[in-house]
Each structure stands twice: as C-alpha cells, then as structure tokens.
Amino acid sequence: MALTREEREKFLAEPHIAALAVDAGAGRAPLTVPIWYQYEPGGDAWIMTGLDSRKNELIKAAGRFSLMVDRLEPTIRYVSVEGPVVETATATEEQLREMAARYLPAEKVEGYVAFASADHGDQVVVRMRPERWVSSDLGTV
C-alpha cells in the first residue's frame, strides 16, 4: 500500500542509507551508489560529495537525481524520491558534523569529521527538491 505524504516524509527523514541514482549519459545505465543524506519533512533532501567526484559531475550534467531508501523489518517499506537540483554549495564542517551525527554513534563523530576533513578533499552539498515520490509498505509480506 502506498504511504501517505506524512508517512513517506517521516520515513525519508529517518537515517537510512540511500541509493542515489543519476543519469550517466547515452549508452550507460544510471550511476547508482549508496550514500548518506539528510532530509527534514517538507524540505529539500541533501547529500555531500566530492567536488571533483563522478557523482557531482553527473548530477551537474543531469540537473536532477533520485534517492531510494528501504527497510525489511518490521515490514518491507520503501520510499523513492526524485527531483531537480536547487543548489550546490561548498560543504562546511558544520554540515559534515551534522551528517556524521545522523549516521554514527556520538563518540565517533569528531573522529570521523577530522578524518573526512583531512582525507576527502573539497566537498559540496547538493540540494534536491523532492518532486516525484514512489512509496509502499508491503505489510507483513
């Protein structure tokens, strides 16, 4: 059964690992990779990626991307959302810390931030405005 708007937004706001998909050009399947993301109901979804990454180059070219998140328990549920890029900006350490805190235990956040700041190179935040949604809860299947 399809989720209501409130249910799908609440589910997307949970800290799932998303599958990001973006058009990879003529003759290629979409690039699909796991990624951390951030979302608050009613707002834009955002990801952080390397300035010079293939993801960022493909997203710039396509002007849009999709995210899909799912779970298996207590019921099989998924939400897929796609939309246009509304902003790309240089990532800040505060955004890196926010993203890390969403996915990591509190005691690991600062260590990860220090590592990522030193190791990952220049990062950007790409914001996507959710435009089309597909969702379902398959009950106790």
Side-chain angles (χ1 to χ4, degrees), residues 93-115:
E93 189 171 293
E94 180 179 311
Q95 289 167 319
L96 176 59
R97 187 170 284 105
E98 177 183 341
M99 188 70 78
R102 176 173 165 85
Y103 289 95
L104 298 174
E107 67 275 7
K108 300 211 179 241
V109 170
E110 290 308 315
Y112 178 80
V113 169
F115 162 76

Side-chain angles (χ1 to χ4, degrees), residues 48-96:
M48 187 177 295
T49 191
L51 174 64
D52 298 323
S53 70
R54 183 163 182 245
K55 281 189 299 276
N56 191 42
E57 294 301 319
L58 291 173
I59 290 169
K60 279 195 294 192
R64 62 191 315 111
F65 63 93
S66 63
L67 296 173
M68 192 283 298
V69 298
D70 66 344
R71 72 162 193 221
L72 298 178
E73 294 179 3
T75 61
I76 299 169
R77 180 178 276 202
Y78 70 87
V79 169
S80 179
V81 61
E82 67 101 357
V85 172
V86 294
E87 179 185 34
T88 301
T90 301
T92 66
E93 189 171 293
E94 180 179 311
Q95 289 167 319
L96 176 59

